[in-house]
Amino acid sequence: MDEDNPIDEISRIEARLEELAEASERCRKIILVSKAAIAGGGALLLVMMLGLFGSNQVAAIGSIAAVLGGIVALGSNVSTLRQTMAAISAAEVLRSDLIGRIDLRVVGDRTMRRI
């Protein structure tokens, strides 16, 4: 096997890991916004049911839509985050395996002095 192949493959895996990390961060942000939408919609609906805000049908429908949309977005992004984390773990295992196959050489035997 050519010595450049494992190094190139490791570089591709690291690029993929960066993409997956960005995707997982996006999922976390969307999950946070979804939770806020659920809480905001639920709070608005509760306030309207208690009569503190008045009875506005548009606000009631909007709050119900916010809760339902938040639940859908939350569920979708939680499952996507799980899949992304599984892909990250698999890529890290593959990267570790490839690094383990490389025949590393010691550059020098001198111990480094601290300055």
Side-chain angles (χ1 to χ4, degrees), residues 10-111:
I10 291 169
S11 296
R12 283 191 292 274
I13 291 171
E14 288 178 352
R16 178 74 177 141
L17 281 170
E18 288 178 16
E19 292 172 5
L20 290 171
E22 290 173 4
S24 68
E25 195 58 36
R26 276 192 309 271
C27 285
R28 285 186 182 97
K29 289 177 184 177
I30 293 172
I31 287 170
L32 184 63
V33 169
S34 299
K35 288 179 180 180
I38 293 169
L44 180 61
L45 191 60
L46 181 64
V47 166
M48 288 183 54
M49 289 176 67
L50 293 175
L52 300 174
F53 186 65
S55 63
N56 186 351
Q57 293 174 351
V58 175
I61 291 172
S63 65
I64 292 170
V67 170
L68 293 177
I71 291 170
V72 170
L74 179 70
S76 173
N77 281 285
V78 165
S79 64
T80 302
L81 181 62
R82 286 183 187 148
Q83 292 171 354
T84 303
M85 296 308 289
I88 287 173
S89 296
E92 286 176 345
V93 167
L94 181 60
R95 180 181 63 180
S96 296
D97 184 45
L98 288 172
I99 290 172
R101 290 183 197 172
I102 296 174
D103 184 29
L104 300 175
R105 295 174 291 174
V106 177
V107 175
D109 290 330
R110 296 186 310 174
T111 58

